[in-house]
Amino acid sequence: MIYVGTGLTNTLDIITGGGFYTAESDNETVATAEIINGTQVQVTGNTAGGSAAVTITDRFGQTASFMVEIY
């Protein structure tokens, strides 16, 4: 679980995978996610009191997911 404040960001390094990553939040009203610098995912908190699942996918279709809670 990653915790992010409303209007704030949290940046995480991607340490393994096939590159050419994409990131997707299942609830963009609560949190958005984007790939920056090619190997980092940046999560932005949009709505306090909610949670979202973020999924990172590499060029081979391999995925990793984590939960984000916004405070």
Side-chain angles (χ1 to χ4, degrees), residues 49-61:
S51 62
V54 172
T55 301
I56 301 167
T57 305
D58 73 8
R59 66 178 166 182
F60 301 115

Side-chain angles (χ1 to χ4, degrees), residues 15-67:
I15 57 172
T16 187
F20 298 97
Y21 302 102
T22 61
E24 182 177 3
S25 168
D26 73 344
N27 189 349
E28 291 193 344
T29 300
V30 172
T32 55
E34 66 179 320
I35 299 298
I36 59 171
N37 301 322
T39 59
Q40 295 178 309
V41 59
Q42 185 174 65
V43 179
T44 301
N46 297 327
T47 305
S51 62
V54 172
T55 301
I56 301 167
T57 305
D58 73 8
R59 66 178 166 182
F60 301 115
Q62 303 228 14
T63 62
S65 298
F66 58 90
M67 293 299 297

